[in-house]
Amino acid sequence: MFDRELAKASQAIIRALTEQGLPTPQRIDWSPTPFHGQWGFGTAAFFQIAAQEARRGKGGCVPERAAEIAQAVLQAIGTPEGFSRASVERGYLNLYLEPGLYAKRVVNTILAQGEDFGRGHPKDERVMVEYSQPNTHKAFHVGHLRNVILGGAMANILEFAGCDTVRANYIGDIGLHVIKWLWCYRKYHPGEQPQGDKTRWMQEIYTEAERRLEENPENEQEVRALFAAWEARDPELVQLWERTRQWSMEGFQEIYDLLGEHFDVIFYESEVEEPGKRLVEDLIARGIAIDERPDGPVLIKIDELLGLEKETYRTLVVLRSDGTSLYSTKDLPLAIRKFEEWKVDRSIYVIDVRQSLYLKQIFKVLELMGFEQARNCVHLSYEIVNLPGNVTMSSREGTVVLFDDLIREAFARAGRIVELKNPSLPDDQKQIVARAVALGALKYAMLAVDNNKVVTFDWDRALDFEGQAAPYIQYAHVRANSILRRAGSIPQDATFEHPLEASEIQLLELLARFPQEVQRAAAEYKPLQIANYVYNLARAFTDFYQHCPVLQAEGAAGAARLRLTAAARQTLASGLRLLGIEAPEVM
RNA sequence: GCCCCCGUAGCUCAAUGGAUAGAGCGCCUGACUUCGAAUCAGUAGGUUGGGGGUUCGAGUCCCUCCGGGGGCGCCA
């Protein structure tokens, strides 16, 4: 927001350095000054120059020399245009802003742009974010939830940052787990219809299948026969598969609706299986893949092809020895299809960290095939969600916290809190609030942890409604909204001529930073950046709320603070929206 | 054997190579006749796992050790 002023100041500094015969850096980096209650930007550029001199043998104490140079530069440039004060502190050159002028500019910018405040310029880049990737005929559990929430927030952020964003889902609708399910259903539940929560019902049959097969291993022959029938596309089996798959899809859709997620395209494993097998034949013909069938699988010795001594990419199996497909068989053609059919420039895979090597292999094989866009494939990895005692969630082993159970508990707890905190709210409002708070808390808990940190699932922490959690941020939004509602209308304009409180300056400084926070979150693939930012913003607003009367403010301060409140409400709502969290009007 | 990730306050987590390492939870003390107390103010809590190195400057980068988790030819 102050790029223009800082750029001019940078130019002046470089000119001053040149005039004094000092080395000039390529550019001057500015960061917000860390002092509470003062608003400005500082640069540490002179440390680098002083260090450079010291290296050339001049010796001396670097911090002292940095301060000396900074002081000389300050003498030369004076206070740059647009700033109220400049000073040298501990070797830093700090430029302070005239609070009133800039406060007005920040607030006016936000209110003029509304929900577009913070949106990046269109980047002329199309990115696809593939996330969620659930298996049909199986449970949807808390481990899957981290993926959806992370992927959804990441897509929101990339889109807001200026990318043309395509949200993709990739459904695991075939494979041994589906065959086992179909076997169990045909044998023990013929003709049954799903009851209650469809996803849970699907999971129950799946665990039953696993249990029966473990108890009676001789049944595996029947499963193998069914797999063969599937491979032969037995019409009756295919029909059953389609119908049962649909039940899973309907169940998933309920979950996505609840979470507020939508996809622009859904890929199915089943539709890339045949293209994958053809691609593997091509790889064999081109000498990239080695065909060891029938005694072994079709594989690609990547390190060998690259002439690497040290094991790096290892070997990737791309087709089973019996000719049936693997995950890799299908991922290769799909990767290409994303670029060719969807014309994307970058392809992001939101998949947990355990598949890091696998994805490195896939991307490298694409490169070996001569597919140049392979370098535009990105693995956005994240750590898994474990149960206490470091137990990994597994639908096969039934060690899962089901999404359905979690969401029920979340709604129940949030409902009790709403009843406690705001009993006079009409019932339908209570439900809306409870829902926003429950989902918000859940999402925030997932997003407020760095991607590469393991989350140990804990009911109380996943559903935390206090402290650094979504409801705190939502509450700040509600209170801002409450002030604005009482005020009736927001003044068209206001000057910030009253002496600004420290809390007002802090709030303004954070508000001004929103656009760059969005860019950084997008560039680093870190929704956490936004999660932290919006929490800090909520704290700053709460602090402002404590210290500065708005409606009872004297004179011109009232209008200014009212507009500041409106700007804060807007930015809180925008930040939450990027995280996929609702900002309620009341709670 | 090769590779990746984690280790920061009692607990859970933050922190562009930058200024005094910050929050929340929990503990204790206090604040509703106030623009909404899902809040706030205050107290206490640190050799950033250990040791080297690079740098003007390291929680952050490099090396090494310790502890924990994960991955590695026919699971997805």
Side-chain angles (χ1 to χ4, degrees):
Chain A
M1 196 174 287
F2 305 105
D3 296 347
R4 205 159 44 85
E5 285 78 1
L6 288 173
K8 285 181 101 171
S10 299
Q11 277 173 19
I13 289 170
I14 286 171
R15 208 163 25 220
L17 287 168
T18 311
E19 280 165 12
Q20 296 178 28
L22 289 162
T24 54
Q26 306 207 318
R27 52 182 254 263
I28 309 275
D29 289 323
W30 297 95
S31 54
T33 49
F35 308 117
H36 199 67
Q38 289 174 304
W39 198 12
F41 299 91
T43 180
F46 308 106
F47 283 89
Q48 278 130 36
I49 296 166
Q52 219 170 317
E53 282 186 353
R55 271 197 299 276
R56 287 195 189 141
K58 289 194 183 176
C61 170
V62 170
E64 272 175 27
R65 178 66 183 141
E68 210 176 289
I69 300 170
Q71 196 60 51
V73 168
L74 178 59
Q75 289 289 329
I77 65 170
T79 302
E81 189 191 332
F83 297 94
S84 64
R85 188 164 65 82
S87 67
V88 173
E89 283 143 309
R90 306 188 64 169
Y92 283 71
L93 177 60
N94 293 327
L95 305 179
Y96 293 96
L97 297 155
E98 200 288 286
L101 210 66
Y102 284 97
K104 180 174 165 148
R105 178 138 136 223
V106 170
V107 168
N108 284 356
T109 303
I110 295 170
L111 294 183
Q113 296 181 356
E115 58 185 33
D116 282 331
F117 171 63
R119 184 183 291 280
H121 298 292
K123 294 192 196 305
D124 194 29
E125 184 192 14
R126 176 175 283 193
V127 297
M128 179 175 281
V129 184
E130 181 202 293
Y131 62 103
S132 193
Q133 308 116 327
N135 285 333
T136 62
H137 302 80
K138 269 194 184 180
F140 198 98
H141 58 69
V142 172
H144 299 121
L145 195 59
R146 187 173 187 181
N147 186 302
V148 184
I149 290 168
L150 174 62
M154 201 62 248
N156 293 341
I157 290 165
L158 286 164
E159 187 166 54
F160 198 63
C163 297
D164 177 10
T165 305
V166 182
R167 293 150 202 270
N169 199 344
Y170 181 37
I171 308 292
D173 62 339
I174 50 167
L176 192 56
H177 77 274
V178 177
I179 303 297
K180 285 177 180 173
W181 192 97
L182 292 171
W183 165 79
C184 183
Y185 178 81
R186 282 218 315 197
K187 193 162 178 178
Y188 301 101
H189 303 271
E192 261 181 47
Q193 297 285 314
Q195 300 138 15
D197 175 45
K198 290 192 182 78
T199 311
R200 179 190 297 273
W201 184 80
M202 297 297 285
Q203 165 69 10
E204 279 165 4
I205 298 211
Y206 176 68
T207 42
E208 183 186 329
E210 287 288 350
R211 179 175 54 77
R212 289 185 184 278
L213 286 166
E214 199 171 322
E215 284 168 7
N216 304 85
E218 67 277 11
N219 281 328
E220 279 177 23
Q221 272 198 328
E222 293 177 24
V223 172
R224 267 199 296 277
L226 208 60
F227 207 131
W230 161 261
E231 286 285 314
R233 293 295 179 273
D234 174 272
E236 190 241 308
L237 189 62
V238 168
Q239 202 184 36
L240 179 66
W241 165 71
E242 282 174 347
R243 195 167 70 241
T244 56
R245 178 181 78 159
Q246 187 56 26
W247 292 336
S248 266
M249 292 303 292
E250 285 162 13
F252 294 155
Q253 193 55 51
E254 287 169 13
I255 291 168
Y256 297 139
D257 286 347
L258 203 57
L259 291 173
E261 289 295 333
H262 74 277
F263 296 93
D264 301 307
V265 54
I266 295 180
F267 300 115
Y268 292 90
E269 278 189 35
S270 57
E271 66 189 1
V272 279
E273 188 175 34
E274 287 311 314
K277 288 180 180 175
R278 287 197 296 275
L279 191 145
V280 168
E281 290 305 324
D282 184 50
L283 288 172
I284 296 167
R286 290 170 62 186
I288 294 171
I290 300 163
D291 190 356
E292 294 184 344
R293 287 175 295 175
D295 302 321
V298 179
L299 46 82
I300 301 174
K301 298 190 171 177
I302 307 174
D303 287 339
E304 212 168 273
L305 289 168
L306 292 169
L308 295 175
E309 296 282 324
K310 201 168 171 180
E311 41 184 334
T312 308
Y313 297 98
R314 300 167 183 277
T315 298
L316 178 67
V317 176
V318 290
L319 202 65
R320 286 199 188 90
S321 50
D322 64 3
T324 56
S325 69
L326 289 160
Y327 211 48
S328 55
T329 322
K330 295 165 278 197
D331 250 327
L332 290 166
L334 181 61
I336 295 169
R337 191 169 150 193
K338 288 175 176 176
F339 286 95
E340 295 188 341
E341 195 175 301
W342 285 84
K343 309 284 183 220
V344 303
D345 302 298
R346 183 161 41 136
S347 179
I348 297 166
Y349 293 72
V350 182
I351 302 180
D352 80 59
V353 66
R354 294 171 299 184
Q355 291 192 42
S356 292
L357 174 61
Y358 168 75
L359 285 165
K360 264 173 70 180
Q361 292 176 322
I362 291 290
F363 300 161
K364 190 52 81 175
V365 167
L366 289 167
E367 202 179 303
L368 287 168
M369 288 167 56
F371 186 69
E372 284 184 13
Q373 308 240 50
R375 62 196 158 84
N376 298 321
C377 292
V378 179
H379 176 205
L380 201 180
S381 89
Y382 64 93
E383 265 289 359
I384 58 172
V385 180
N386 278 340
L387 294 170
N390 204 27
V391 175
T392 302
M393 288 194 214
S394 156
S395 346
R396 199 156 46 82
E397 290 168 31
T399 51
V400 294
V401 174
L402 292 179
F403 175 79
D404 186 53
D405 289 328
L406 178 59
I407 211 76
R408 271 170 207 279
E409 180 65 18
F411 284 173
R413 290 191 191 196
R416 284 199 294 273
I417 301 278
V418 174
E419 193 59 54
L420 188 74
K421 303 284 186 185
N422 204 346
S424 61
L425 219 55
D427 280 351
D428 56 335
Q429 278 287 314
K430 277 182 189 161
Q431 281 215 345
I432 292 169
V433 171
R435 192 188 137 100
V437 165
L439 287 168
L442 211 51
K443 291 182 181 187
Y444 195 86
M446 290 281 182
L447 292 169
V449 189
D450 195 81
N451 293 343
N452 49 19
K453 284 204 171 147
V454 177
V455 169
T456 300
F457 180 81
D458 176 80
W459 284 100
D460 292 329
R461 255 192 302 134
L463 301 176
D464 199 352
F465 296 149
E466 280 173 4
Q468 184 169 2
Y472 178 91
I473 305 164
Q474 292 170 319
Y475 186 61
H477 177 265
V478 163
R479 291 200 296 191
N481 190 59
S482 180
I483 291 174
L484 295 167
R485 193 176 52 238
R486 281 172 173 272
S489 66
I490 302 163
Q492 285 305 303
D493 195 14
T495 53
F496 284 76
E497 280 163 356
H498 65 286
L500 294 183
E501 296 281 332
S503 62
E504 290 178 283
I505 292 175
Q506 173 69 14
L507 177 58
L508 284 156
E509 200 248 302
L510 273 173
L511 287 170
R513 221 146 68 183
F514 183 50
Q516 63 227 53
E517 295 289 340
V518 171
Q519 293 303 321
R520 197 178 148 201
E524 295 178 6
Y525 300 112
K526 278 176 79 168
L528 169 65
Q529 193 66 31
I530 300 296
N532 282 339
Y533 169 79
V534 75
Y535 172 69
N536 286 327
L537 183 61
R539 287 208 321 157
F541 176 75
T542 303
D543 194 41
F544 161 74
Y545 181 92
Q546 292 293 327
H547 291 101
C548 302
V550 177
L551 299 175
Q552 283 95 349
E554 310 248 321
R561 285 179 178 166
L562 210 46
R563 281 177 67 78
L564 177 56
T565 301
R569 176 180 65 171
Q570 176 60 60
T571 310
L572 284 167
S574 295
L576 285 173
R577 192 187 62 227
L578 291 180
L579 303 177
I581 297 172
E582 282 180 58
E585 302 287 302
V586 292
M587 64 187 273

